[in-house]
């Protein structure tokens, strides 16, 4: 992977150090629930940690852990009891489906939606590998890249590096959600769960059918990223905007004018919410200033589909 350039403004561009720092935030949270591999009809393979399997990571010792799996080196080094976690070769796989369309490069508070989306993706990666999953990311829209799922810290580090690198590349043409879902269906690489991160403006008429096909292959969760200005009718006033180096002011004084403006900006979020509702998919909405961790835990830490 090529070197990531220095980020001029982390509110506008994805900063690798910020994504890496999210690891400590995730580490302090409760770990994802372990899932039994007892075979059940229609159940995705769960995770089981034990001897004779591949080493995944070490965590702080918890009551009931097998003392035969103590990580003595880390325990001695840290002064805190740690136990080793192991995973089978067929551990769960999470594929993050990341929207990089031009509409994501917008923000009025805290950061661009594209930067917040990268923070959500990185948080999901750190959280998934903590539970023993492999994690990969498929970018659609202006950037169209695939990072195949990998396990352990290397998997999350790979996701963080890819997010920063792709964000720094020149953007291409936009892509509809249906086209992205079609590619995702071909590039699942055994993923048992999919997390879609988008502002919803890529949702098109064909997205329902494509999403339905994806739901039949994997558990799908959605996090909608929205700017605060897209979530409520703005107060009267003048609003400065910049687009591709051009700066201009938008005057919003009349009630009807502000209502139409709010409807236009909120259209993507509404379309994605409707799609999730039609398919019965769990979904959370985050504004650009929110901490992604609670939403990630809510969607990825819940009991798996039976």
């Amino acid at each position: 992977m090529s070197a990531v350039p220095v980020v001029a403004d982390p509110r506008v561009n994805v900063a690798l150090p910020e994504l890496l720092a999210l690891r400590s935030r995730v580490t302090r949270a409760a770990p994802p629930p372990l899932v039994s591999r007892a075979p059940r009809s229609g159940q995705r393979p769960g995770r089981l940690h034990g001897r004779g399997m591949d080493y995944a990571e070490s965590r702080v010792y918890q009551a009931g852990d097998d003392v035969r799996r103590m990580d003595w080196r880390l325990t001695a080094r840290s002064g805190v009891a740690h136990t080793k976690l192991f995973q089978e070769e067929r551990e769960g796989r999470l594929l993050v489906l990341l929207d990089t369309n031009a509409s994501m490069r917008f923000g009025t508070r805290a950061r661009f939606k594209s930067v917040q989306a990268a923070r959500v993706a990185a948080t999901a990666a750190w959280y998934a590998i903590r539970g023993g999953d492999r994690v990969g990311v498929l970018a659609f829209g202006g950037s169209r890249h695939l990072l195949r799922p990998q396990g352990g810290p290397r998997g999350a580090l790979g996701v963080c590096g890819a997010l920063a690198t792709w964000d720094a590349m020149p953007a291409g043409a936009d892509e509809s959600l249906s086209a992205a879902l079609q590619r995702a269906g071909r590039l699942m690489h055994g993923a048992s769960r999919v997390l879609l991160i988008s502002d919803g403006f890529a949702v098109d008429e064909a997205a329902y059918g494509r999403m339905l096909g994806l739901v039949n292959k994997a558990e799908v969760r959605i996090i909608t990223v929205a700017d605060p200005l897209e979530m409520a009718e703005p107060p009267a006033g003048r609003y400065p905007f910049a687009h591709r180096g051009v700066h201009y002011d938008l005057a919003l004084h009349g009630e009807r004018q502000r209502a139409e403006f709010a409807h236009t900006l909120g259209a993507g979020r509404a379309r994605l919410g409707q799609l999730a509702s039609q398919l019965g998919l769990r979904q959370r909405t985050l504004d650009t200033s929110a901490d992604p961790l609670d939403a990630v835990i809510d969607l990825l830490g819940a009991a798996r589909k039976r």
Side-chain angles (χ1 to χ4, degrees), residues 35 37 44-49 87-95 128-136 149-152 188-194 304:
V35 181
R37 279 190 178 275
R44 87 171 178 96
R47 294 182 297 274
L48 177 67
H49 299 102
Q87 59 194 25
E88 291 183 306
E89 184 180 355
R90 296 177 299 144
E91 76 275 42
R93 297 188 180 191
L94 170 68
L95 180 66
I129 64 118
R130 193 176 179 204
D133 280 357
R134 290 175 177 264
V135 61
Q150 300 180 78
M188 290 288 287
H189 292 285
S192 50
R193 292 189 291 166
V194 173
R304 308 294 193 263

Side-chain angles (χ1 to χ4, degrees), residues 51 65-70 72:
R51 293 178 296 167
D65 284 348
D66 189 341
V67 295
R68 292 173 296 181
R69 292 193 274 123
M70 292 293 294
W72 297 112

Side-chain angles (χ1 to χ4, degrees), residues 189-211:
H189 292 285
S192 50
R193 292 189 291 166
V194 173
L195 177 64
L196 170 63
I197 306 171
S198 172
D199 64 359
F201 283 100
V203 175
D204 55 340
E205 290 185 3
Y208 176 87
R210 298 292 186 194
M211 183 68 86

